[in-house]
Amino acid sequence: MSNTQLYQSVTTRLAVSVPYLNNVFDTDTHESARQHDGVYLYKTKSGSIEWNYPFDLSGGVYRCEDVQMILKQIRTEDKESHNQDGLSHPNTFELRGHQAVLALGDELVSAGKFLSAVPSRPLMVVLAVNRVQNVCHAPIAGSGEGRVTYNTTSVDENKIAEPTDPSSLLKLLKCCHNLDLERYQWTPYNSSHIGDVFLRDQLNVSHSTEVREVSPDVSVLLPVHSGVNVASHSIASIIMQCVDMTRGSQQSFLSSMQIVIVDDRCVDGSIDAMIQTCKTLLASHPNILITVIDHRLGQTTLDQEHQQQQKHEPIMHMQSTISIDIDIITSSPSPGVASALNTGLEHCKSELVARMDADDITTPRRLISQLRFMRGNPSINVVGASAVIFSIKDDRNENDYPILPYHSVAASDGQCHIVRTSLSVLDPGFMSWTMLFTCTIAHPSVMFRKSVIEEIRGYDESIKYAEDYDLWLRLLGKDCRSILCLPFVGVWHRKHNHCNSVANSLAQKKESNKICHRAIKEILSSADFNEESLENEHISTLKDPSTATSLDSLNDAAKLLLKIESSFLHKNTSLLTEYELELIHNDCNARIGELATIAVSTFGKDNIDHFKFNGTGGPCYVWRLWSDRCPEEQFQRLSLLCHLTTTSS
């Protein structure tokens, strides 16, 4: 970033209004170093809040013809309304630009496929040093606004001590201080407009107390049962992160790594394929040193020739070498992934343990981002990331398809098809609330503290399919702020017919409901609610209202939801931020609205009197509750009633 870009609002989002871009740019030159550059596409009209920026002055890229038409549209509207405010102020210009984009519609060059795009990684930071944007609120540099709060009781150590007025910032820049762009990328925000100023000095050392110049030690826990065609890609994506670190300025944060491969009754050669991939990477990357210890056979495998070559390298080269120890162990006699994970955890030498699965792919910079965050935030015990859910298709005729991370170092068995993107919750208090209803963190994306997991006795080996969900709920039961996710995609999570989560979905759902039942029971008991009437049917309906068998079950689920909300807040209010309280309130209202909508659409025809204003059957409980808590959504309720009346008659 150039110094001349220190002028408007702090933003880590670049809005691009273009007709269409391929999912991923060509990255064959050096795909890992370019961090899998690409764009995420979405329909402009479907964007909301900060994703509804079809026209943005801070970092937007547009077609010249479109900009000319937008300006013409604003001038025309100003002339017709005898108003000259459209171009007189940057905020007004943006707002009127949004309106012009929507008004022009098909006339724009980009209207053929009216999409907006954001890059797959942050590209720019713009600092606001004065309040020129007084129509819309934008944080001033140094205010710290927009950042997710990790610990409500700790003092904010993230603001720099230097003054952030324009003259002071210019002096810092003249003294060769630069923005710490890395830190912007791994700091969670709940807004695209933020007020943080993170600086690096001329030696590229961060001013933050979170960064300590010591060599970290991270263990990657990787159970392997099957997947000979995909396991190589998994381990390659882990090792290549170390290679990337030696090329940049972050090698001091990841100078050693342990990979614990748990042989969970693997008989298809997956582990042998992974070791062969390690040897291939070792031969082409002299800045890594890999040691493989196969505890199953009591053998140690070293590349002696590679080690001998490194002994003659200059000292500066040795400083950039990363040591990777791979331990292959046998799982315990007890079957199941939970048992394999507990066995592997015992062999992890680091306090920080990253999870991976043998059929998934970790994204560039995931480990270093999580490592830096965990070392700087000791109150957080588990940190995850968002995930791309994908599958492999055999259709070779498809021209447009995304490219997997690290595709240049590991062959794929087909073309990638994105099923969906699972965006995780950032705010820890709100995540604790949402986890009561479903697992909102991808297991292969997490890094956790080993000692904390051992304190709660690790994974429950009696659970076959949802061992991670059980672990997180037990951890959150002790501390509702112990888990959060960072704002980036950390793993590409593979779905195929052999996955337990697909082939055994019914059993997994039943097991998840049982785990959820126990967690909700504990929450209710903490507030002295009588949980004896807590039934699995109520929880199932609350988790998935479409499964309701009657109007009464929806009403009972709504009553249960209110008890859960009251109990959760009673237990944790002092630990939640105002923003998290607002998120929980809004989420609860949304769940009530969904229950009420199902009540009308599924059971309204047979219980129409319960929804009439002058009905003789008395008002439906969940319908009345929705009306009381969300009076502003009366239009939605009126639409549902009109549809009900029409279909009934």
Side-chain angles (χ1 to χ4, degrees), residues 147-199:
R147 191 188 323 118
V148 173
T149 302
Y150 319 135
N151 191 334
T152 57
T153 59
S154 63
V155 178
D156 187 0
E157 299 175 344
N158 288 325
K159 298 181 187 178
I160 64 170
E162 295 86 350
T164 53
D165 58 277
S167 59
S168 298
L169 284 173
L170 289 175
K171 289 180 181 179
L172 290 172
L173 291 172
K174 290 180 180 179
C175 295
C176 298
H177 287 77
N178 296 312
L179 290 175
D180 186 352
L181 300 183
E182 291 286 337
R183 190 162 175 217
Y184 283 107
Q185 293 188 41
W186 57 260
T187 301
Y189 295 99
N190 48 37
S191 171
S192 65
H193 295 83
I194 59 179
D196 278 332
V197 179
F198 300 140
L199 298 180

Side-chain angles (χ1 to χ4, degrees), residues 412-427:
S412 176
D413 56 348
Q415 290 184 352
C416 172
H417 166 66
I418 294 180
V419 178
R420 61 185 173 89
T421 301
S422 177
L423 300 178
S424 298
V425 177
L426 299 184
D427 299 83

Side-chain angles (χ1 to χ4, degrees), residues 8-10 91 128 130-131 133 136-140 145 193-194:
Q8 286 182 4
S9 62
V10 177
N91 287 153
N130 53 32
R131 182 65 72 189
Q133 300 195 26
C136 300
H137 177 79
I140 291 294
E145 293 182 61
H193 295 83
I194 59 179

Side-chain angles (χ1 to χ4, degrees), residues 332-489:
S332 70
S334 302
V337 65
S339 177
L341 290 171
N342 284 334
T343 302
L345 192 60
E346 293 176 0
H347 289 77
C348 289
K349 300 174 182 178
S350 172
E351 166 65 3
L352 295 177
V353 178
R355 272 283 289 115
M356 264 292 287
D357 285 335
D359 55 351
D360 295 334
I361 304 166
T362 192
T363 60
R365 306 197 63 78
R366 169 205 157 183
L367 294 180
I368 188 66
S369 296
Q370 292 181 324
L371 185 60
R372 291 186 65 174
F373 179 84
M374 291 291 275
R375 294 186 57 180
N377 297 275
S379 64
I380 300 297
N381 295 322
V382 180
V383 60
S386 296
V388 173
I389 314 300
F390 78 102
S391 62
I392 297 298
K393 301 195 332 183
D394 295 328
D395 184 8
R396 299 284 178 177
N397 296 321
E398 188 175 351
N399 295 321
D400 176 47
Y401 59 93
I403 301 174
L404 292 171
Y406 298 112
H407 70 281
S408 60
V409 296
S412 176
D413 56 348
Q415 290 184 352
C416 172
H417 166 66
I418 294 180
V419 178
R420 61 185 173 89
T421 301
S422 177
L423 300 178
S424 298
V425 177
L426 299 184
D427 299 83
F430 183 53
M431 169 172 280
S432 183
W433 163 261
T434 60
M435 288 285 282
L436 290 173
F437 308 101
T438 187
C439 188
T440 55
I441 184 170
H443 196 189
S445 78
V446 304
M447 179 180 289
F448 55 72
R449 302 187 192 278
K450 177 182 177 181
S451 59
V452 174
I453 300 303
E454 289 178 333
E455 284 178 7
I456 59 174
R457 302 182 306 282
Y459 294 90
D460 187 340
E461 298 184 12
S462 67
I463 297 177
K464 187 175 182 180
Y465 303 109
E467 74 289 337
D468 55 330
Y469 188 28
D470 167 77
L471 184 70
W472 310 144
L473 284 177
R474 283 190 283 126
L475 190 60
L476 290 171
K478 294 181 175 294
D479 180 4
C480 72
R481 305 196 66 80
S482 59
I483 303 178
L484 64 70
C485 287
L486 295 180
F488 62 85
V489 173

Side-chain angles (χ1 to χ4, degrees), residues 22-68:
N22 193 9
N23 294 64
V24 182
F25 299 145
D26 181 17
T27 54
D28 285 334
T29 303
H30 196 285
E31 181 258 352
S32 61
R34 294 178 60 175
Q35 299 186 43
H36 198 54
D37 289 347
V39 293
Y40 298 114
L41 302 176
Y42 66 96
K43 294 181 180 179
T44 303
K45 293 183 178 180
S46 65
S48 61
I49 314 176
E50 296 200 347
W51 293 97
N52 187 19
Y53 279 85
F55 194 71
D56 189 353
L57 297 182
S58 299
V61 178
Y62 311 93
R63 295 184 181 277
C64 181
E65 303 95 319
D66 288 344
V67 174
Q68 291 175 344

